Each structure stands twice: as structure tokens, then as C-alpha cells.
């Protein structure tokens, strides 16, 4: 018998849902309507919204890398300064 939710995976002879869909059903039982809200807010987007979300994610990653580089640069300068004081 195939899964009632995804209709793709074999669920077994006595099972109604496949393993993945059981997990989804479990989350719905725990969080209720919040699951639907999150799916709508995160996954259901227009192409323009998807592009904007992607740009925001990329921007965050770039900012984090720049911060990491600045931190490493400060650490390196500090080490050089300490090294020169020793000599």
C-alpha cells in the first residue's frame, strides 16, 4: 500500500503513511496550525520573494565571513605586536 500523504513511497501492508510522512503527521499533531503557517511563510513564495530571501541569506553569509576575516586580522595584528615587543 502506498502512503496516503505523498502517494509515492511504499508504506507497507498495514501502514497508512511512509516514514517521512509519519514525521510530518507527528509534527502537525504536536504544533497544530503552526506547521501550516510556517510552511506558507517559508516555502510558499512568489519568485520575487524567493529572490529577495536568497539575497538576504547571501548577505548574511557575506557579512559573517567579513566579520570573521576582520577578527582574524585583529588577532594577527595582536600577535605581531606581541612578537615585536619580545624582541
Amino acid at each position: 500500500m502506498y502512503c496516503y500523504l505523498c502517494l509515492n513511497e511504499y508504506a507497507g501492508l498495514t501502514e497508512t503513511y511512509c516514514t517521512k510522512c509519519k514525521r510530518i503527521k507527528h509534527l502537525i499533531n504536536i504544533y497544530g496550525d503552526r506547521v501550516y503557517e510556517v510552511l506558507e511563510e517559508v516555502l510558499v513564495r512568489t519568485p520575487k520573494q524567493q529572490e529577495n530571501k536568497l539575497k538576504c541569506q547571501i548577505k548574511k553569509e557575506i557579512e559573517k565571513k567579513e566579520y570573521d576575516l576582520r577578527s582574524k586580522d585583529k588577532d594577527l595584528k595582536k600577535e605581531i605586536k606581541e612578537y615585536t615587543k619580545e624582541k
Side-chain angles (χ1 to χ4, degrees):
M1 187 159 109
Y2 285 93
C3 175
Y4 280 14
L5 185 60
C6 69
L7 304 174
N8 291 327
E9 296 207 21
Y10 183 71
L13 293 175
T14 59
E15 298 292 325
T16 308
Y17 301 105
C18 66
T19 307
K20 292 177 186 177
C21 293
K22 279 183 194 174
R23 177 73 176 142
I24 293 169
K25 186 177 181 308
H26 178 72
L27 292 172
I28 292 170
N29 288 338
I30 293 172
Y31 298 106
D33 288 341
R34 181 70 181 131
V35 173
Y36 300 112
E37 291 169 14
V38 170
L39 289 173
E40 287 292 328
E41 290 173 12
V42 176
L43 295 179
V44 181
R45 297 179 168 269
T46 65
K48 186 176 181 179
Q49 289 173 319
Q50 291 174 0
E51 184 178 322
N52 187 41
K53 182 75 171 180
L54 184 60
K55 285 180 182 178
C56 288
Q57 281 299 119
I58 291 171
K59 183 179 178 184
K60 287 178 187 177
E61 289 177 20
I62 289 171
E63 288 172 350
K64 183 181 180 328
K65 287 181 182 181
E66 287 174 346
Y67 176 79
D68 290 345
L69 286 173
R70 283 194 305 271
S71 295
K72 287 178 183 178
D73 189 43
K74 286 180 183 177
D75 292 342
L76 183 60
K77 286 180 181 178
K78 185 178 176 183
E79 287 180 21
I80 291 172
K81 196 174 191 179
E82 289 174 1
Y83 179 76
T84 57
K85 281 184 180 179
E86 292 174 2
K87 292 206 171 207

